[in-house]
Amino acid sequence: MKFITFKNKVDQSFGIGIISEEGTINLQQVFKDYLKKDFFPNTMIEWIKEYENWKDELKHLVELDKQYFLHTTDIEILAPIPRPRKNIFCVGKNYKEHAIEMGSEADIPTDPMLFSKLPTSVIGPEQDILSHSHVTQALDYEGELAVVIGKEGKDIPKEEAMEYIFGYTIINDVTARDRQKKHKQFLLGKSLDTFCPMGPYIVHKDEIKDPHKLSIETRVNGEVRQSSNTKQLIFDIPTLISVISEGTTLEVGDIIATGTPAGVGSGFKPPRYLSTGDLIEIEITGIGILRNTVS
């Protein structure tokens, strides 16, 4: 199943939806009027916590009347988790060719390289990436597969790591390269407002047979800049979850961006940074397309 967070343009309310072949289902309305439940999830994190309790009920959603479906023109799709409870975990140089384009073979890590992005950097699909021209002149893109954690855990063994995943989404790890270089670390260059486009959905893990066999492509104004496959990850997803959780509690709704392949703007000679009006599209097999424009 594919899950979205949406804003209702009519009454300005927020909700959770399920993407089906027939359209977008209003999950809150299903709980209230179809399942006759007093409880209904108001946020994606609440829904992730409750999913296992209700997944069998969802098998009957094919029987729903049209009254439970949302009109596309009436909603705005937001980031699946519009305001994460804590920083997004990000993995640097997790594709060999990207590590080389950012330095040399000596830059290929032997252990996962971690940094983070602030929750205030998150935006949804079709929302504008601010150019922040007063701050940076080296605006760059990074298309990435992101993992959404589905249950709490600490010191998670690799062989159990996949059990802690709820689903997958897409992240654009937008970066101010000059600010990153100036401050000799990643947080400030990665965390400007709008620098973490996310979405358009969270796809439940049951729909992704193998997250290590997904094509990933980033296009700028229709031109393919990044084209790779998650089988090229240096550190696979179980390794990342296990390492990050060593002595650190992973919570429901935590997000791990697994790294970007070669083809970022700063990897070209000369660099090909983003400009106002540029459209960035990131497409990952089975998950969808994340689109954002620079303004």
Side-chain angles (χ1 to χ4, degrees):
M1 289 185 173
K2 296 179 179 179
F3 304 101
I4 63 165
T5 296
F6 66 86
K7 179 180 180 180
N8 191 314
K9 297 177 183 178
V10 177
D11 61 11
Q12 304 302 303
S13 63
F14 297 86
I16 309 301
I18 300 174
I19 305 296
S20 72
E21 292 182 1
E22 291 76 25
T24 302
I25 300 168
N26 187 331
L27 189 59
Q28 281 99 329
Q29 192 176 2
V30 167
F31 267 77
K32 183 179 178 180
D33 300 331
Y34 179 74
L35 298 178
K36 307 297 183 182
K37 305 296 181 182
D38 293 330
F39 161 83
F40 53 90
N42 286 305
T43 68
M44 185 66 74
I45 292 177
E46 287 180 5
W47 173 237
I48 294 172
K49 288 180 178 179
E50 292 290 334
Y51 176 78
E52 289 297 321
N53 297 326
W54 301 104
K55 65 179 182 179
D56 289 338
E57 300 273 9
L58 298 183
K59 295 177 183 178
H60 303 292
L61 294 185
V62 292
E63 305 167 2
L64 287 177
D65 187 88
K66 289 184 179 180
Q67 65 174 313
Y68 296 101
F69 288 83
L70 296 158
H71 294 289
T72 304
T73 55
D74 290 341
I75 63 171
E76 175 188 359
I77 298 179
L78 308 176
I81 302 178
R83 182 63 181 264
R85 294 189 297 178
K86 59 191 183 191
N87 288 14
I88 295 99
F89 295 96
C90 300
V91 184
K93 299 181 180 178
N94 201 22
Y95 288 79
K96 179 180 177 181
E97 296 305 319
H98 174 60
I100 293 172
E101 76 175 348
M102 298 301 285
S104 67
E105 290 202 12
D107 292 286
I108 298 172
T110 55
D111 291 286
M113 177 179 173
L114 274 296
F115 59 94
S116 71
K117 296 174 82 78
L118 298 178
T120 48
S121 65
V122 173
I123 59 171
E126 309 294 345
Q127 293 184 307
D128 285 354
I129 299 167
L130 300 178
S131 61
H132 295 288
S133 57
H134 65 298
V135 176
T136 179
Q137 298 298 312
L139 188 65
D140 210 348
Y141 54 85
E142 293 189 3
E144 308 196 14
L145 172 70
V147 175
V148 181
I149 296 299
K151 68 176 182 177
E152 185 173 302
K154 183 170 70 172
D155 297 321
I156 300 169
K158 281 180 61 175
E159 58 270 19
E160 298 176 12
M162 301 300 281
E163 300 173 15
Y164 288 79
I165 296 172
F166 176 75
Y168 304 92
T169 190
I170 303 171
I171 275 180
N172 186 350
D173 179 17
V174 182
T175 307
R177 296 295 183 193
D178 43 5
R179 201 173 202 217
Q180 181 180 4
K181 182 178 180 180
K182 175 182 179 182
H183 294 284
K184 304 296 189 292
Q185 48 75 54
F186 290 5
L187 183 69
L188 293 180
K190 299 278 191 176
S191 293
L192 275 69
D193 291 354
T194 73
F195 270 27
C196 190
M198 182 194 304
Y201 329 107
I202 293 177
V203 180
H204 191 265
K205 63 182 179 181
D206 287 350
E207 289 197 14
I208 305 295
K209 292 182 179 180
D210 187 349
H212 301 100
K213 292 182 180 179
L214 303 179
S215 296
I216 178 170
E217 183 175 278
T218 302
R219 300 180 291 271
V220 179
N221 300 324
E223 177 192 4
V224 176
R225 296 282 187 88
Q226 295 180 289
S227 183
S228 189
N229 192 289
T230 54
K231 66 184 178 182
Q232 301 296 331
L233 288 169
I234 297 172
F235 305 104
D236 64 13
I237 292 168
T239 299
L240 297 176
I241 291 174
S242 182
V243 169
I244 292 170
S245 70
E246 290 175 350
T248 297
T249 300
L250 284 174
E251 299 176 297
V252 174
D254 281 352
I255 301 162
I256 301 172
T258 59
T260 199
V264 298
S266 60
F268 288 90
K269 300 185 186 305
R272 302 179 68 183
Y273 295 126
L274 297 171
S275 301
T276 300
D278 284 348
L279 171 66
I280 304 96
E281 297 174 296
I282 302 166
E283 183 170 6
I284 299 181
T285 307
I287 298 179
I289 302 174
L290 175 64
R291 295 184 180 91
N292 299 90
T293 301
V294 178
S295 68

